[in-house]
Amino acid sequence: MFDRNEVYQLARQWVVEAGERIRSSIDNPREIETKSNPNDLVTEMDKKVEEFFASKIRSCFPGHRILSEEGFGDQVSELTGTVWIIDPIDGTMNFVHQKRTFSISLAIYHEGIGEIGLVYDVMADQLYHAQRGKGAYKNDQKLDRLPKEKSLNQSILMLNTWWCTPNHIVDDEKVRELVQTVRGTRTYGSAALEFAYLAEGIVDCYISFQLHPWDMAAGVILYHEVGGLTLQANGQPLTMVKQEPLVAGHPMIVEEIIDRYIRLK
Ligand code: IPD
Ligand code: CA
Ligand code: CA
């Protein structure tokens, strides 16, 4: 049996506890390693936090599975049963260089449906949280649903620089056109927080081509609760079990972005 409220209460308690540990040791010396490339960073704290969640989950919910970034989870290729999708620190580059604007991202999916999403901005002590069907919150404040209408020329677009890396997958000219069409662009360096900002309504659309399930699982749940739309860049629904190019935003502009500006190579 899946008792959503019990799982939510514990998950929330663990996220806040992990955040407090990170915050209180933010100025400690860091052990920094690189993973897939010299800019793909991981620290001892990423690993410690993921290990903390994994041991709590395994002792309280031995039947649940874990899909996570740093190796303490399980091999998960489909979302049957209950799956915790965890990024212990989303925005590790910000964590290392800036000591702010990073988050803990934790989502719980049950039989393929996103039930609980938690994104904790650790240094700001702001917890974005949602349970499916109950709305999204920032601490105690319920977030408004998105406005009925939104046009691209009044939108702030978030995007990262993956589109201009050597193996980029979109037409540069089209991205240039899109950037010239929107009101402004932003990049914050934590995908989970970027979703939280979408849910808060302070930005309107988001393109990111290299996201893993743990970068977006919790944020997607938050964003759906306020009426946001999330799709793969080819217009298909996200599967949440593999790396996927993502377009998210107000429903009035997502399809326009995909149809007019995201020409996959
Ligand atoms: C990264 C951040 C970043 C996004 C990258 C992610 P990490 O996660 O979310 O904003 O652009 O694609 O890999 O490595 O800091 O957990
Ligand atoms: Ca991440
Ligand atoms: Ca991470």
Side-chain angles (χ1 to χ4, degrees):
M1 203 199 79
F2 175 66
D3 180 341
R4 187 172 78 174
N5 191 48
E6 181 198 11
V7 173
Y8 169 77
Q9 294 302 341
L10 282 172
R12 188 174 168 157
Q13 189 184 309
W14 296 338
V15 163
V16 171
E17 190 180 331
E20 278 163 3
R21 288 189 191 189
I22 300 174
R23 217 168 31 243
S24 64
S25 59
I26 191 72
D27 291 322
N28 289 4
R30 295 266 90 90
E31 291 163 32
I32 303 165
E33 292 167 50
T34 58
K35 296 195 286 185
S36 60
N37 66 63
N39 302 324
D40 185 8
L41 309 179
V42 62
T43 73
E44 84 297 344
M45 187 59 86
D46 299 65
K47 295 177 195 168
K48 263 189 211 160
V49 171
E50 187 171 306
E51 195 175 13
F52 165 79
F53 285 123
S55 86
K56 293 280 191 196
I57 295 162
R58 294 200 196 288
S59 74
C60 292
F61 304 107
H64 293 186
R65 293 183 298 152
I66 302 170
L67 172 56
S68 58
E69 184 169 20
E70 308 299 350
F72 296 90
D74 303 299
Q75 287 293 338
V76 175
S77 54
E78 35 65 43
L79 295 179
T80 52
T82 304
V83 182
W84 295 59
I85 307 182
I86 303 173
D87 194 336
I89 297 184
D90 182 55
T92 299
M93 197 187 289
N94 286 354
F95 173 62
V96 168
H97 286 261
Q98 306 186 328
K99 299 185 180 178
R100 73 188 77 154
T101 325
F102 58 88
S103 59
I104 297 172
S105 174
L106 189 154
I108 296 148
Y109 280 63
H110 183 67
E111 302 299 358
I113 296 171
E115 293 287 350
I116 296 166
L118 300 164
V119 174
Y120 189 32
D121 181 335
V122 171
M123 300 313 287
D125 188 20
Q126 283 171 340
L127 179 65
Y128 295 85
H129 53 106
Q131 295 184 68
R132 184 175 61 86
K134 291 180 122 186
Y137 290 78
K138 176 185 179 184
N139 291 337
D140 295 333
Q141 176 204 345
K142 188 165 189 186
L143 299 176
D144 291 336
R145 286 189 66 82
L146 299 182
K148 278 209 172 64
E149 304 204 344
K150 180 58 77 176
S151 64
L152 214 41
N153 60 10
Q154 291 179 336
S155 294
I156 299 183
L157 165 73
M158 291 179 295
L159 78 174
N160 60 23
T161 52
W162 286 104
W163 59 272
C164 65
T165 56
N167 58 350
H168 64 280
I169 56 170
V170 285
D171 185 327
D172 303 31
E173 276 309 313
K174 286 281 163 193
V175 177
R176 187 193 304 267
E177 243 181 77
L178 174 60
V179 167
Q180 285 166 349
T181 301
V182 294
R183 179 164 280 170
T185 60
R186 298 287 185 274
T187 301
Y188 295 99
S190 159
L193 274 181
E194 285 165 333
F195 274 105
Y197 298 160
L198 281 170
E200 201 176 344
I202 61 172
V203 284
D204 310 291
C205 43
Y206 183 30
I207 302 177
S208 193
F209 292 117
Q210 307 268 342
L211 295 184
H212 290 91
W214 45 80
D215 300 314
M216 53 185 169
V220 162
I221 296 170
L222 289 171
Y223 197 34
H224 288 174
E225 282 303 306
V226 298
L229 180 62
T230 60
L231 290 171
Q232 290 189 52
N234 60 9
Q236 295 297 308
L238 295 163
T239 70
M240 219 48 92
V241 287
K242 57 178 173 38
Q243 207 173 15
E244 284 167 339
L246 162 107
V247 180
H250 190 287
M252 283 188 72
I253 55 182
V254 166
E255 277 161 24
E256 185 184 354
I257 293 174
I258 292 176
D259 293 347
R260 284 183 66 170
Y261 301 103
I262 303 299
R263 193 169 297 161
L264 295 177
K265 280 186 173 164

